[in-house]
Amino acid sequence: MQFSKLKDLGVEVVHFNVTDSTNLRAKEVALKGYTSPVLFVTDSQTAGKGRMGRSFYSPDGTGLYMSYLYKVTGNFADNVTVTSAAAVAVVRAIEELTDLEPKIKWVNDIYVDSKKVCGILTEAVTDKNGITSVIVGIGLNINTTDFPHELTCIAGSLGKTMSREILAQTIVKHLQILISQLSDRTFIEDYIKHSAVLGKEVVYIIHGVEHTATAVGIDNNGGLIVEHKDGGKTTLFTGEISVKLI
Ligand code: BTN
């Protein structure tokens, strides 16, 4: 793979034909130390990690599986919002390169035509010197068709023929812009514009108890504001719960 544009963006690229998980490769490097941001990208993963302990199906050559590793500068609280900003980076890249209309299902799953085409797993790592890095792991199905049985109802692909290098470069370009603007939360407007959840009834589970509510807003930190039948509102924070559209 050629990643010349990424080098122009100051990103070092590490490419594998196969690895267990690019987030794990990134974590190793984060703990050892590195200078510029690094993009780990692979043709396939044998143990792709998803959110909430799930796995991410990563067959050979039909998807983009990558992890962007960077050091936190400034306020850590701003960097927590990168998990939502990364979803905006992916939808901007898809819109730049295709005629598709991607939507974001809170927190950061990307859907096209009601099928999940992309999942994002963000992790933070602090090394022995107290330097914190963020790993933004992105798995995007480009033209995967042979999903395992349990995924066939949920998972989909972009269904386009495109260069993985250009897709990776375009996502990283948008991600870098958004990371540089995290403190002013400019991405929230675009996040709201692409939300698949707002105005819909959702079910969320906290401590094993299911709640039904209507999604009414996204706050400045990417939290989902839901309204219950009695008019009471709750803000759901990223990473704590999963939301089902009903
Ligand atoms: C999810 O849908 O729950 C998140 C999936 C994240 C998958 C990507 S693929 C590249 C990176 N490496 C991993 O092991 N996971 C992320």
Side-chain angles (χ1 to χ4, degrees), residues 125-147:
V125 183
T126 302
D127 72 10
K128 61 181 184 319
N129 300 315
I131 294 169
T132 299
S133 296
V134 172
I135 298 162
V136 183
I138 298 174
L140 179 47
N141 305 322
I142 302 174
N143 37 37
T144 307
T145 49
D146 59 339
F147 291 103

Side-chain angles (χ1 to χ4, degrees), residues 48-118:
K49 294 201 296 167
R51 295 179 63 243
M52 317 225 177
R54 289 188 289 256
S55 58
F56 188 81
Y57 181 59
S58 315
D60 191 20
T62 61
L64 176 64
Y65 319 113
M66 66 181 211
S67 299
Y68 181 75
L69 169 69
Y70 72 96
K71 282 181 193 159
V72 169
T73 51
N75 189 348
F76 183 73
D78 289 339
N79 282 274
V80 172
T81 65
V82 77
T83 212
S84 311
V88 173
V90 173
V91 297
R92 284 185 183 172
I94 294 173
E95 286 177 343
E96 184 175 324
L97 299 173
T98 74
D99 54 358
L100 299 171
E101 293 178 3
K103 297 267 175 249
I104 304 168
K105 179 176 164 258
W106 192 84
V107 183
N108 55 8
D109 287 339
I110 312 297
Y111 277 64
V112 169
D113 294 335
S114 305
K115 292 274 172 105
K116 175 173 167 176
V117 299
C118 175

Side-chain angles (χ1 to χ4, degrees), residues 84-204:
S84 311
V88 173
V90 173
V91 297
R92 284 185 183 172
I94 294 173
E95 286 177 343
E96 184 175 324
L97 299 173
T98 74
D99 54 358
L100 299 171
E101 293 178 3
K103 297 267 175 249
I104 304 168
K105 179 176 164 258
W106 192 84
V107 183
N108 55 8
D109 287 339
I110 312 297
Y111 277 64
V112 169
D113 294 335
S114 305
K115 292 274 172 105
K116 175 173 167 176
V117 299
C118 175
I120 301 171
L121 174 66
T122 308
E123 299 183 272
V125 183
T126 302
D127 72 10
K128 61 181 184 319
N129 300 315
I131 294 169
T132 299
S133 296
V134 172
I135 298 162
V136 183
I138 298 174
L140 179 47
N141 305 322
I142 302 174
N143 37 37
T144 307
T145 49
D146 59 339
F147 291 103
H149 179 66
E150 65 278 13
L151 294 180
T152 47
C153 290
I154 323 160
S157 295
L158 298 182
K160 299 279 178 191
T161 304
M162 62 168 67
S163 144
R164 277 183 293 157
E165 289 88 336
I166 291 175
L167 186 55
Q169 284 159 3
T170 309
I171 293 171
V172 170
K173 175 187 76 179
H174 288 294
L175 192 55
Q176 287 192 323
I177 294 168
L178 291 167
I179 289 170
S180 73
Q181 299 169 348
L182 285 178
S183 62
D184 53 32
R185 306 291 196 273
T186 42
F187 69 89
I188 293 283
E189 196 185 319
D190 221 6
Y191 186 101
I192 289 172
K193 209 171 94 190
H194 288 91
S195 174
V197 172
L198 290 180
K200 303 250 170 73
E201 220 166 79
V202 298
V203 171
Y204 65 95

